[in-house]
Amino acid sequence: MKAALVLSGGGAHGAYEVGVIKALIAGLAPSTGHRPLEIGAIAATSIGAFNAAVLLSNFGGDWTQAAAALESAWLDRIAADGVTTPNGVFRYRPNVPVWVNVVQVARDPLQQARELMSDTAFLARDWVTRLLGFAASSEGLGQRFAELVDLSTFLTPEPSEVLVEALVSPVRLRTSSVSLSVTATAWKSGTLRVFANTDFNDADAGAIVRASGAIPGIFPAVSIDGEPYVDGGVVMNTPLKPAIDAGADTLHVIYLDPAPGVIPLRRVGSTIDAMERMFVSSFAATMRRDLDVAARVNREIAQGRTSVHKPLAIHLYHPTEDTGGALGILDFDRVHVTTLVDLGYKNAVTHNCRKAGCLNVT
């Protein structure tokens, strides 16, 4: 049977995937019969695309070494310690958290000065453009005021560009024997695009990985072939179909949302909390529908009513506890990252298919 990893999106929660992958590759998970997982395909979106790209960039025949390199990327290049090391994914514009940190400023005052000048120029251009648009627009006053607000203006993904450039090997991705499917959303049409191994040429590989994780409203769209692309999770946050299309019949699906019941229903509600619960509930419902479809196909195969598909086994792994709320997706603090890696590892080692709701071929 051909096994596939399916890696979903979830920002900083992607550290959880690292822990699960470590356990699967080490042969410590009951779901693989305590045998090391041999990966034939990977389908990924958003932060899952980054994890897949780094994993395959370090795979030369030894999955254990590749998993260790992925964990090192998170702990040594991504995680922030809050004192001397900023996170490797984004920074604020202007970078106030660094300015109030004497240690970080003292490490490279010239760099901080360059960033301040660059951020000031960017914000000035952005606000001039928005004010001119406000004045020239024929829309209603409410719509014109709404167009003045863009939170992504105050975040820059420049660190992630450096990170991807340093850690992703285009030649290894496009020549890998492991089938790779990375999803991104075409921002103009709202349609899903699946990038395969051969799409990861030297010019576009980094852009594909960054586009797959470009969360709308937080990070700007990324241009590929002259078209803007954003997070693949907008259309398909857990890409089961690309893994099945790659010929996999055993799917190890790691998705980063806890069960809705795990998220505390706070006494004092907020818009952010409500949005988190809405998205988690929506993703959980989509996952249940996908599993129901797969189970129905398996029944039809067993009854001899179809020969088009193969029977599917789907193993599910996701956090068993709250992972920090909606804003946790931007929490790249070292403690948070390490906690999620450890949680993923523990959940995989103690995995119980019945409790997890896995779909097994019988």
Side-chain angles (χ1 to χ4, degrees):
M1 300 180 76
K2 183 176 181 179
L5 277 178
V6 179
L7 306 177
S8 74
H13 297 160
Y16 177 88
E17 294 177 341
V18 179
V20 176
I21 290 170
K22 280 177 56 183
L24 292 175
I25 287 173
L28 298 176
S31 53
T32 64
H34 293 98
R35 292 187 295 271
L37 178 66
E38 289 295 329
I39 303 167
I42 304 178
T45 196
S46 196
I47 194 63
F50 171 82
N51 286 340
V54 174
L55 192 68
L56 285 187
S57 292
N58 289 278
F59 177 62
D62 185 343
W63 284 113
T64 301
Q65 182 180 2
L70 176 60
E71 183 176 22
S72 176
W74 275 87
L75 298 180
D76 301 332
R77 297 294 299 265
I78 293 178
D81 64 12
V83 179
T84 60
T85 307
N87 78 76
V89 177
F90 71 92
R91 68 174 179 82
Y92 294 100
R93 181 194 283 133
N95 206 359
V96 176
V98 169
W99 296 347
V100 298
N101 189 316
V102 177
V103 177
Q104 289 192 33
V105 172
R107 287 181 64 191
D108 194 345
L110 290 179
Q111 176 64 22
Q112 304 309 322
R114 285 192 293 268
E115 288 182 358
L116 174 59
M117 289 187 291
S118 173
D119 292 346
T120 301
F122 176 89
L123 291 171
R125 290 193 303 270
D126 182 76
W127 275 99
V128 167
T129 301
R130 292 181 186 280
L131 290 173
L132 289 174
F134 180 90
S137 176
S138 59
E139 300 283 350
L141 193 60
Q143 178 64 31
R144 290 158 68 186
F145 272 114
E147 291 174 355
L148 289 175
V149 180
D150 183 5
L151 296 180
S152 67
T153 298
F154 301 101
L155 293 177
T156 172
E158 290 171 358
S160 66
E161 296 175 17
V162 175
L163 183 73
V164 169
E165 179 70 22
L167 299 180
V168 172
S169 169
V171 65
R172 284 219 166 171
L173 298 187
R174 65 175 175 266
T175 61
S176 177
S177 60
V178 178
S179 173
L180 176 63
S181 304
V182 168
T183 65
T185 302
W187 199 218
K188 286 184 179 179
S189 63
T191 56
L192 190 74
R193 178 172 175 182
V194 180
F195 294 91
N197 297 72
T198 53
D199 294 313
F200 286 83
N201 57 63
D202 291 347
D204 293 334
I208 292 171
V209 174
R210 290 187 289 106
S212 184
I215 305 171
I218 296 179
F219 298 128
V222 177
S223 178
I224 302 172
D225 298 330
E227 294 293 327
Y229 286 86
V230 297
D231 199 313
V234 171
V235 176
M236 183 185 290
N237 196 50
T238 306
L240 301 181
K241 186 176 183 298
I244 297 170
D245 290 344
D249 44 23
T250 302
L251 277 56
H252 293 269
V253 181
I254 313 173
Y255 60 105
L256 303 175
D257 298 304
V262 170
I263 302 173
L265 190 60
R266 308 184 194 281
R267 290 181 59 191
V268 179
S270 70
T271 299
I272 291 177
D273 290 335
M275 293 292 287
E276 179 195 16
R277 186 170 291 276
M278 180 183 72
F279 281 117
V280 168
S281 298
S282 175
F283 290 150
T286 299
M287 180 64 70
R288 286 194 295 270
R289 287 196 298 270
D290 289 343
L291 289 175
D292 287 343
V293 170
R296 185 171 67 249
V297 172
N298 281 359
R299 288 194 298 270
E300 291 177 352
I301 293 171
Q303 295 166 2
R305 290 192 289 164
T306 179
S307 60
V308 176
H309 304 285
K310 295 186 294 184
L312 292 174
I314 302 178
H315 298 284
L316 305 173
Y317 315 84
H318 68 121
T320 54
E321 56 193 64
D322 187 25
T323 51
L327 296 182
I329 65 172
L330 296 178
D331 183 3
F332 291 95
D333 180 79
R334 182 175 299 277
V335 173
H336 188 228
V337 167
T338 303
T339 299
L340 288 172
V341 172
D342 292 343
L343 178 62
Y345 186 85
K346 182 184 75 173
N347 285 174
V349 169
T350 60
H351 182 79
N352 183 298
C353 277
R354 182 182 59 80
K355 291 182 178 180
C358 300
L359 176 68
N360 289 303
V361 178
T362 56

